[in-house]
Amino acid sequence: MFKTVPTTPFDDQKPGTSGLRKKVPEFQQKNYVENFIQSVFDSLEGFKGKTLVIGGDGRYYNREVVQIALKMAAANGFGKVLVGQGGILSTPAASNVIRKYKAFGGLVLSASHNPGGPTEDFGIKYNIGNGGPAPEKITEAIFARSKTITQYVIAEAPDVDIDTIGTQKLAGMDVEILDPVADYAALMEELFDFDAIRALIKSGFTLRFDSMHAVTGPYGKEILEHRLGAPEGTCVNFVPLPDFGGHHPDPNLVYAKDLYDLLMSPDGPDFGAASDGDGDRNLIIGKGIFITPSDSLAMLAANAHLAPGYKAGLKGIARSMPTSGAADRVAEKLKIGMYETPTGWKFFGNLLDAGMATICGEESAGTGSNHVREKDGLWAVLLWLNILAVRRVSAIEIAKEHWATYGRNYYSRHDYEGVDTAAANTLIDDLRARLPKLPGTSVQGLTIETADDFAYHDPVDKSVSKHQGIRVLFEGGSRVVFRLSGTGTSGATIRVYVERYEPDPKRHDLETQSALADLIRAAEDLAGIKVHTGRDKPSVIT
Ligand code: VG1
Ligand code: CO
């Protein structure tokens, strides 16, 4: 029933910021998927007879990998596997299923906002029993194992019918196919005041939710249109496609420009939102205003008590280091803890488990809370709607009032994609070497206060994560941050994060790039991006 297959290691199965991501043809190499999944299982202990969750964002190769994972789970001794119908589970829904059914862990198949299709991206991520991404200790063990693996085990059995809800057997193991939306929708009903949102929509408030042909289509339809009564047509691009219709399922101002333009037009809806490939990111645009993810985190934190799930208040807020300091000012006012973590959701898990943080966020359009252990796109949309339903003001009014109270953090990220890897590494190494000499010097008329290579000391498990981004802080609270992406699949991506704090309400209506112009020039002077990469402008500005 089970067979042992000899194999040889691949040397490139190192999980990045969020799991292993590669081009589909790389995953299609003989034994590539099997090696990685076996390396995951070999790095875990005590799962015999326990439950595994499997689901993905529906992209090209999802269904094939679900079958491989199922047969390997059976051969490795799992007692049961829960699979989203059709192999579908959004990342936050997978996190919820792991928690709700007390599973041992889960395999989430996704390359998130990266494009999908036969020559595009695929990914595999392992989540632990708290529903969150495996911590570095485990991902390092997986990588180490992948370099020495000599065999894997797999059931010799026909494919499982993953499209029919119910329980079946696979080589002695139970396989239960679940409705991917039901448990998640129930959780959202617990957290938010659906009656208030329904009343807001009934009063004529209009919205649009763009699923970008990715996984949140069925979730948006069920929750926004069916349960909250938004009219049909509110959800657009709601049919998940294996290649996302040929687009980048990345909800930012570049790839969701149509939505942005609509919200900026006089007859556009009151509120617009979008989510990414696997449903964990969110884009929030009020009529006439794009809310940056960093601002959204701060505004949601300041107003979260208006939603039933958070009426007791927040224990603390956590944000990734490159995320703007807007949320810090909210935490200060609320007199609650504020935590600064490295990029990637895996670093929030301990803070959430320990009850130290309630809401977390990243500048890359990720926001979430202790309801699951992943960022959650639709959750952020619903929290915004709940706040708007209670306050009955527009998103732009919420933003302006917020800035008047706390000051405004102008913020932008400049990405240089597909850069030569060696050149990108040299740029970072050069900058790192110069860090000790920077404080006290000036660039573009700005005086550098401190400069360091961010290291995180986890307050819960005391682990230390080094080299998490280079930050240069200027007098007055402005800063630039440099780091290399850990999710790309070709070459390197240099991310430059630029932030200026502006306390003066008279200066809250500036265009973002011009408000940051001197800092953007300072970033170039400091890092020599042009000299190192030959690029004179970023590929994507968000
Ligand atoms: C990017 C973002 C990071 C996010 C990660 C996974 O990582 O910057 O904030 O957590 O993607 O998000 P990197 O290493 O490329 O900067 V997702 O929605 O792609 O799972
Ligand atoms: Co994602």
Side-chain angles (χ1 to χ4, degrees), residues 16-18 21 91 110-114 125 276-281 320 322-323 343-346 362-366 374-375 413 415 483-488 493 495 497:
T17 312
S18 184
R21 291 188 193 175
T91 289
S110 170
S112 189
H113 57 290
N114 298 12
K125 181 171 70 158
D276 71 331
D278 61 331
D280 56 0
R281 296 188 180 202
S320 66
T323 304
T343 295
W345 212 262
K346 58 175 167 286
E362 294 193 277
E363 52 67 42
S364 55
E374 289 277 7
K375 55 190 191 272
R413 188 177 92 189
D415 292 333
R483 62 177 281 281
L484 300 182
S485 158
T487 56
T493 292
R495 302 202 195 285
Y497 310 80

Side-chain angles (χ1 to χ4, degrees), residues 403-540:
W403 294 334
T405 308
Y406 298 96
R408 177 169 180 185
N409 293 70
Y410 283 100
Y411 189 86
S412 182
R413 188 177 92 189
H414 289 202
D415 292 333
Y416 297 78
E417 295 178 338
V419 168
D420 177 69
T421 304
N425 287 332
T426 309
L427 180 151
I428 295 288
D429 291 345
D430 281 5
L431 197 50
R432 184 178 291 127
R434 277 183 284 121
L435 287 175
K437 296 202 200 83
L438 290 180
T441 62
S442 289
V443 53
Q444 295 284 334
L446 299 152
T447 306
I448 298 172
E449 206 167 66
T450 55
D452 68 0
D453 186 358
F454 180 60
Y456 179 59
H457 297 259
D458 187 308
V460 180
D461 69 12
K462 309 292 177 209
S463 61
V464 179
S465 305
K466 292 183 179 160
H467 305 308
Q468 297 297 327
I470 288 181
R471 46 181 188 178
V472 178
L473 288 92
F474 300 99
E475 282 177 359
S478 297
R479 60 172 190 160
V480 289
V481 172
F482 304 84
R483 62 177 281 281
L484 300 182
S485 158
T487 56
T489 56
S490 48
T493 292
I494 302 170
R495 302 202 195 285
V496 183
Y497 310 80
V498 190
E499 174 181 0
R500 153 160 287 128
Y501 178 61
E502 178 54 72
D504 181 1
K506 285 199 264 337
R507 297 179 50 80
H508 284 171
D509 288 319
L510 306 177
E511 192 275 321
T512 298
Q513 299 305 316
S514 35
L516 298 172
D518 54 344
L519 288 156
I520 293 166
R521 286 194 301 269
E524 170 59 40
D525 287 1
L526 283 165
I529 301 165
K530 200 168 172 179
V531 178
H532 282 289
T533 67
R535 304 284 178 85
D536 57 4
K537 58 174 185 331
S539 5
V540 179

